[in-house]
Amino acid sequence: MVTHQSRFQPPVNGGQHIRRRNLLQQLQRLGPRRLTTIIAPAGYGKTSFAAQWYDLMRNHAGKLVWLPLEADDCDQSHFLVALLEALEELQPGEGRGLDASGMSVATLLSVLVTRLRRIDTPVTLFLDDYHFAQTDATESLLAKLLAAKDLAHVKFVLISRSAPRFPLSALRLNGELKQIGVTDLSFSDTEAQEFFVGRSEKLTREQIGELNKRTEGWAVALQMVRVLVAESGHSASILESFDGSNIEMARYLSEQVFSSLPSDIQHFLVETASLPAISRTLAAAISASPDAAALFNRLADHALPIAVLDNQGMWIRCHPVFNSFLKEEAARVGIDTRDILKKAARWFQTRDDCDAAVRHALLAGDTALAAEIVETCGGWRRVYATTRGGTLLFQTLIAKAANINLSGYPLTTLGLSVISAKAGQLDAANHYLAIAERACTGEALSRDLRVVRVLMSLYTDHWASTSDLSALEADLSYGGDMELIHRALALNMLAYNFLIRTDLDRAMHYGQLAMRAFRDGGADFGAMHLYTHIGQAAFFSGDSASAEDAYRSLIVEAQTNIGEGSDLDAVGQVLLSEVLSMRGELDAASGALSWALPHLERHDTWFDLLAAGFMAQQRVLRLNGDILAAHAAIDSARATARRRGFERLTRLIDGERVTLLVATGDIEEAVRYAEASGFPLQAAYTDAPNNLGLNLRGCVPALLWTRIYTARGDIARARDVFDRLRTQQALKPHVPRHIELALLDIKLLQAEDQPEKAAACLSNLLLSQPIADYRAILQIEGADFANDLRRLATLVEIPAVIAQRLAHILDGPVIKIPSEASSVGAAAADLSRETGGLTERERSVMRLLSAGLSNKEIGRKLDLSDNTVKFHLRNIFAKLNVTTRTAAVMASRNAGVSP
């Protein structure tokens, strides 16, 4: 209920407005400045807020004057007389008998200054609706009052739809200016919730939050929704359709904002309404008005709901609700918004802003123009030619692809193929690639097609042919000028393909050249991808520290340029986890893998990344002894591989399943699974599947059967398979693979009772390889093997430095097979606890030994070689903590093994 009040008091709102606590607290903390401006268009609650501040200041901020101004006050004399009348509230009788009608402006100003000087306490004058009185003449009077040094105790608060035009720099430099604008007055989500409390129970908290976001906290828009919902009761339909085209909202905007504007400003706003944002130069390019730039400058002179989008005030946009109203006006008066948007698209194109150009072309509904712009801007190169990547641009085009004659835009179509592949949509990628292949005529387009085709081989997990790679290298030496991004991607593909062929020096060389080319071309997004190839080349070369540096650089750049949790952030985390897990830093590796690996399984990835993540995950789980989780992870990874059509990844995963079964003692199940999943015994003797140069990670058939035969105790066959594997390699194995092979050789040498050779191999390994950074390869061989190495170091005289390095490397987790690993493993583990930890084969040897049989006789009975029998006896002695055959028999009888 509005109460009676004098003109010189702030309006009483009757409890209809919420209290702006945060803004009031800020002003109370700062105290009144010489000049405070509260500037915003109609409907932002300027007067309501100022009244709250006035009320807050009433008891402790000196004397207050409230003066609502009117249109007549734009005259200097009227303005001064209004100020004098307002002061009478503070100085009763001071102005009695004053006849201002015959006074000059100078006299009135002198009287006002005199009366202000007589006030001996701070005084604050609130000038409400200052825009009504705002002319050059009245502003000059206010500027004089603010410049008077003897009036420093007089403060002004201007409540206006437009900013003052007199100079403010001196006040700002002296800390005597406080400006409150649209951003400050817009309701926060909390204030919006409070605004609706008790007045609109039909709106949920989520609906109010969404409404506040759409209206950008504009109080009058929220008030309009509150009224409409209260009147109709149909909250859902009102919320869905509410904008500037709503009849009631349009009427308010027309009456309070639009109708009072000059006609040329009205036309300018309606003409440019279809544009998401506008600048002075864009306005001049698309407007039919010859003075469009001047009209843009004049917008600041009017009370308009406009947001400034940059610090320089170069770009602005209208409030979404007001913009909807203007679009309705444009449609009503017949303005061709499509033509304006197409002009804007061409304008952005001339300024090399491809994204904005395409966005405006699509807003105009001209998909052909959008495709043409992308084509002339480089087509597929736009995927890489920015800081964040051109993913969104091409995804937008894909949604409109049915309306585009793609054969006319081959470079754009290649971009659609790349983006589809990066999203894991391989059928779509191949579809667009086929269209581009038919359209790419001429040598220049053929070079584009060639590099993208090789890129597709990465995402579809097919090997690029040697001829393709030779052609790429030939393209790089092409006499003509190759565009930088094209050159960079060609170098990128060469780096990748030489990496997966274990040609690590060439991979590193091309990777560094590619990164430099991307950087030179301003394509940070493309450059970030090279950290993956450079890092892996370093990792497999034995330079774990450089690999870690590359991956951490990728993570930092991805988080900075794209954001945390992006595809490239996940790529960096997964590859870093491979380094950390190899080093034995299991918690750190597991933490990164927990989110990054599932992210890659769903998003932009290729074989090597999933393989690295899977192997790191298996390493962590096995070293933590969580065998059930390791099997579950294999199940999950296999489903991902099948879903994405990565047959090579499926094969790698199956090989790790066999390896895990062998490690947990499930030998026969490992044999069965190997035969069933493409790792039969005959494959161990075939060259192609065992080419370690083409298998950076995981097992090959010969490695699996070496482990199977070793676990069975058939050392002769294990040695035969193993030696054949090593001799057939055309390339030197990379460092992690070299370490794995050396450890297997040591294991076989010990089984063959050749401790001196085993010790020599161990010494060479520890001295020649950075095994500390790849210690997980040793630790994952299990606790028994670790103990064998410790015993070897004590039985055979080796240098102290070798023993020290071995002790350091073994200072970490080693696999201990949990009893619940499998049903077979559980039974064996229970029996092992009863028999001193002996395996089934060792118990068979022990029974024959107790019967007095020699090594040769035991070998004939069990179909084992002499060396294999010696291998089992050495393990038996170690487990029973004895050194002689007689002591072993006695200990085994006590354990209940011998009959």
Side-chain angles (χ1 to χ4, degrees):
M1 176 179 179
V2 179
T3 60
H4 176 72
Q5 61 184 74
S6 72
R7 177 190 176 191
F8 303 110
Q9 291 291 322
V12 178
N13 60 46
Q16 294 300 305
H17 297 281
I18 68 168
R19 190 162 184 81
R20 311 302 301 275
R21 296 179 184 85
N22 292 338
L23 192 51
L24 290 170
Q25 288 173 3
Q26 179 189 135
L27 290 176
Q28 188 176 19
R29 185 173 62 254
L30 296 174
R33 294 290 190 262
R34 188 73 192 279
L35 175 64
T36 301
T37 62
I38 305 175
I39 310 298
Y44 272 95
K46 301 181 297 296
T47 298
S48 172
F49 165 69
Q52 292 178 26
W53 190 24
Y54 180 97
D55 187 61
L56 185 66
M57 295 172 64
R58 193 194 304 270
N59 297 323
H60 57 271
K63 297 181 178 181
L64 305 177
V65 174
W66 184 278
L67 174 59
L69 296 169
E70 300 170 350
D72 290 344
D73 296 323
C74 64
D75 176 80
Q76 283 184 305
S77 296
H78 278 269
F79 181 68
L80 291 170
V81 168
L83 287 172
L84 287 168
E85 289 177 352
L87 286 177
E88 288 185 16
E89 296 288 305
L90 302 180
Q91 303 166 312
E94 184 76 24
R96 188 173 301 159
L98 177 67
D99 184 7
S101 59
M103 292 185 180
S104 66
V105 170
T107 303
L108 287 171
L109 179 60
S110 177
V111 171
L112 175 63
V113 170
T114 299
R115 292 186 179 178
L116 288 173
R117 286 171 180 159
R118 289 176 184 170
I119 300 174
D120 56 3
T121 59
V123 58
T124 303
L125 286 81
F126 287 75
L127 306 187
D128 191 18
D129 288 332
Y130 173 74
H131 51 275
F132 285 142
Q134 193 176 18
T135 63
D136 291 343
T138 55
E139 294 231 291
S140 67
L141 294 176
L142 191 57
K144 289 177 182 179
L145 294 173
L146 287 166
K149 296 186 183 308
D150 55 351
L151 295 181
H153 63 294
V154 180
K155 321 289 184 184
F156 287 91
V157 178
L158 304 185
I159 308 157
S160 177
R161 294 182 181 180
S162 55
R165 293 184 289 274
F166 55 80
L168 300 174
S169 56
L171 290 170
R172 181 177 285 107
L173 287 172
N174 293 328
E176 287 296 336
L177 175 66
K178 174 63 179 176
Q179 294 172 299
I180 298 171
V182 168
T183 301
D184 305 290
L185 294 170
S186 298
F187 278 11
S188 66
D189 285 347
T190 301
E191 289 172 329
Q193 298 291 342
E194 185 178 346
F195 182 74
F196 280 92
V197 167
R199 300 186 180 95
S200 185
E201 297 178 358
K202 298 182 179 73
L203 295 180
T204 67
R205 187 177 188 84
E206 289 74 21
Q207 287 175 321
I208 294 171
E210 177 60 26
L211 175 64
N212 194 53
K213 181 179 179 181
R214 283 168 50 197
T215 60
E216 298 181 352
W218 195 3
V220 70
L222 296 175
Q223 171 69 6
M224 187 66 70
V225 171
R226 194 171 72 178
V227 170
L228 293 174
V229 171
E231 289 178 352
S232 70
H234 301 296
S235 58
S237 59
I238 289 173
L239 289 177
E240 288 176 6
S241 61
F242 181 79
D243 56 24
S245 62
N246 174 274
I247 294 176
E248 297 300 326
M249 194 69 213
R251 183 178 295 122
Y252 173 86
L253 292 171
S254 178
E255 294 173 356
Q256 298 296 321
V257 180
F258 190 72
S259 61
S260 60
L261 297 173
S263 59
D264 56 350
I265 293 291
Q266 288 183 355
H267 179 78
F268 179 82
L269 289 171
V270 172
E271 184 183 31
T272 59
S274 60
L275 300 174
I278 192 167
S279 70
R280 184 184 298 104
T281 50
L282 175 58
I286 60 93
S287 176
S289 173
D291 58 346
L295 290 170
F296 178 90
N297 293 337
R298 285 172 53 198
L299 293 178
D301 299 337
H302 301 281
L304 295 172
I306 286 176
V308 178
L309 303 180
D310 59 355
N311 294 332
Q312 294 76 35
M314 299 288 291
W315 286 91
I316 63 172
R317 66 162 174 81
C318 291
H319 187 285
V321 176
F322 185 48
N323 187 244
S324 295
F325 164 77
L326 294 175
K327 287 179 179 177
E328 287 286 317
E329 281 293 300
R332 187 179 64 81
V333 300
I335 289 178
D336 187 353
T337 56
R338 285 169 51 89
D339 183 61
I340 289 171
L341 285 164
K342 286 191 281 188
K343 285 182 180 179
R346 291 297 190 190
W347 183 85
F348 281 109
Q349 184 183 7
T350 62
R351 281 154 178 76
D352 296 324
D353 191 342
C354 182
D355 290 354
V358 170
R359 184 166 64 251
H360 284 77
L362 292 176
L363 285 172
D366 195 335
T367 54
L369 175 58
E372 176 198 329
I373 290 170
V374 175
E375 189 81 5
T376 57
C377 289
W380 62 266
R381 299 177 184 87
R382 297 300 306 175
V383 175
Y384 301 97
T386 62
T387 298
R388 297 173 58 88
T391 301
L392 184 59
L393 170 68
F394 284 95
Q395 285 175 340
T396 304
L397 281 181
I398 286 173
K400 307 286 185 180
N403 302 320
I404 303 173
N405 178 18
L406 294 176
S407 60
Y409 310 103
L411 297 181
T412 299
T413 307
L414 286 174
L416 302 182
S417 180
V418 173
I419 288 299
S420 297
K422 288 172 74 67
Q425 298 166 355
L426 301 182
D427 288 341
N430 288 326
H431 166 70
Y432 292 126
L433 184 62
I435 294 174
E437 284 176 336
R438 293 193 294 271
C440 283
T441 57
E443 181 56 30
L445 287 176
S446 295
R447 287 193 290 271
D448 285 278
L449 177 62
R450 188 153 43 239
V451 71
V452 173
R453 187 188 291 120
V454 174
L455 176 66
M456 287 299 102
S457 70
L458 179 150
Y459 284 105
T460 57
D461 196 30
H462 290 95
W463 288 83
S465 67
T466 304
S467 60
D468 284 338
L469 299 184
S470 297
L472 275 189
E473 290 187 300
D475 288 344
L476 290 170
S477 60
Y478 171 66
D481 291 332
M482 180 182 282
E483 194 271 338
L484 266 176
I485 306 304
H486 187 163
R487 174 176 292 275
L489 185 61
L491 290 165
N492 183 347
M493 289 300 96
L494 288 171
Y496 170 74
N497 279 279
F498 285 120
L499 169 68
I500 62 176
R501 288 164 169 79
T502 321
D503 193 342
L504 303 179
D505 289 339
R506 294 177 79 183
M508 183 74 73
H509 170 70
Y510 280 120
Q512 291 170 341
L513 289 178
M515 178 175 283
R516 190 175 305 121
F518 273 127
R519 299 284 192 207
D520 290 345
D524 287 338
F525 181 74
M528 283 186 275
H529 287 75
L530 271 302
Y531 287 119
T532 66
H533 307 332
I534 292 172
Q536 288 180 89
F539 175 75
F540 289 115
S541 296
D543 190 353
S544 176
S546 293
E548 180 177 356
D549 287 344
Y551 301 149
R552 291 197 185 279
S553 295
L554 170 57
I555 292 167
V556 169
E557 289 191 29
Q559 292 181 351
T560 301
N561 296 327
I562 305 174
E564 290 189 28
S566 64
D567 289 353
L568 279 176
D569 184 11
V571 167
Q573 300 283 358
V574 163
L575 289 173
L576 179 60
S577 297
E578 182 170 45
V579 173
L580 297 175
S581 64
M582 270 292 193
R583 202 180 291 156
E585 299 176 21
L586 304 185
D587 290 342
S590 179
L593 285 170
S594 63
W595 75 267
L597 184 55
H599 181 101
L600 286 192
E601 289 174 344
R602 298 188 301 270
H603 296 88
D604 180 10
T605 191
W606 55 94
F607 164 81
D608 301 81
L609 304 181
L610 292 178
F614 168 73
M615 295 297 291
Q617 184 185 55
Q618 285 294 300
R619 205 172 289 124
V620 169
L621 294 172
R622 289 180 61 182
L623 286 175
N624 282 329
D626 198 344
I627 304 304
L628 287 179
H631 277 290
I634 288 174
D635 294 338
S636 175
R638 200 173 194 279
T640 298
R642 297 298 296 272
R643 183 176 70 250
R644 298 192 75 119
F646 287 178
E647 294 181 5
R648 193 157 52 114
L649 182 60
T650 302
R651 183 174 177 79
L652 178 143
I653 292 166
D654 286 342
E656 287 306 298
R657 175 90 77 182
V658 177
T659 303
L660 182 58
L661 290 169
V662 172
T664 54
D666 299 313
I667 309 304
E668 299 313 313
E669 182 61 22
V671 171
R672 187 202 65 77
Y673 193 84
E675 296 282 356
S677 57
F679 294 92
L681 176 58
Q682 57 268 32
Y685 294 94
T686 306
D687 289 347
N690 293 295
N691 187 344
L692 296 176
L694 301 182
N695 291 275
L696 287 175
R697 300 174 176 88
C699 268
V700 294
L703 277 174
L704 288 178
W705 282 95
T706 297
R707 292 185 178 280
I708 289 171
Y709 281 134
T710 302
R712 279 178 163 177
D714 194 344
I715 305 304
R717 289 185 179 178
R719 170 60 74 183
D720 178 62
V721 174
F722 180 72
D723 285 348
R724 190 182 189 285
L725 170 68
R726 288 200 300 183
T727 57
Q728 76 182 65
Q729 300 306 313
L731 295 174
K732 180 182 178 181
H734 60 64
V735 168
R737 185 74 78 189
H738 178 88
I739 294 171
E740 179 187 12
L741 294 175
L743 293 174
L744 268 177
D745 194 20
I746 292 168
K747 183 178 290 188
L748 291 175
L749 287 170
Q750 288 183 289
E752 292 164 343
D753 198 20
Q754 300 186 66
E756 290 79 9
K757 287 187 177 181
C761 185
L762 178 62
S763 296
N764 289 336
L765 177 62
L766 291 173
L767 290 176
S768 66
Q769 300 297 331
I771 194 167
D773 288 332
Y774 301 86
R775 67 181 64 201
I777 301 173
L778 190 159
Q779 294 167 346
I780 210 166
E781 292 293 338
D784 287 346
F785 182 61
N787 290 330
D788 285 344
L789 293 182
R790 291 187 180 98
R791 283 193 297 273
L792 180 64
T794 59
L795 292 174
V796 180
E797 186 175 348
I798 61 174
V801 65
I802 302 299
Q804 290 168 358
R805 293 201 72 187
L806 178 63
H808 171 68
I809 292 162
L810 291 176
D811 183 19
V814 291
I815 291 181
K816 296 180 180 178
I817 307 305
S819 61
E820 66 272 18
S822 67
S823 58
V824 175
D830 290 340
L831 190 54
S832 292
R833 283 193 291 272
E834 298 172 1
T835 61
L838 302 185
T839 65
E840 179 64 33
R841 177 67 74 182
E842 289 166 348
R843 285 185 285 113
S844 297
V845 171
M846 196 64 246
R847 280 192 288 268
L848 295 175
L849 183 65
S850 299
L853 274 64
S854 67
N855 287 1
K856 288 186 180 296
E857 291 171 325
I858 293 172
R860 284 196 295 270
K861 288 280 187 181
L862 299 178
D863 193 24
L864 299 176
S865 68
D866 288 351
N867 283 331
T868 302
V869 173
K870 290 178 183 178
F871 170 78
H872 287 310
L873 286 175
R874 186 167 61 252
N875 286 339
I876 291 169
F877 290 174
K879 292 178 180 179
L880 297 180
N881 196 26
V882 297
T883 57
T884 67
R885 296 165 69 92
T886 301
V889 171
M890 294 300 296
S892 65
R893 285 176 178 170
N894 292 336
V897 177
S898 301

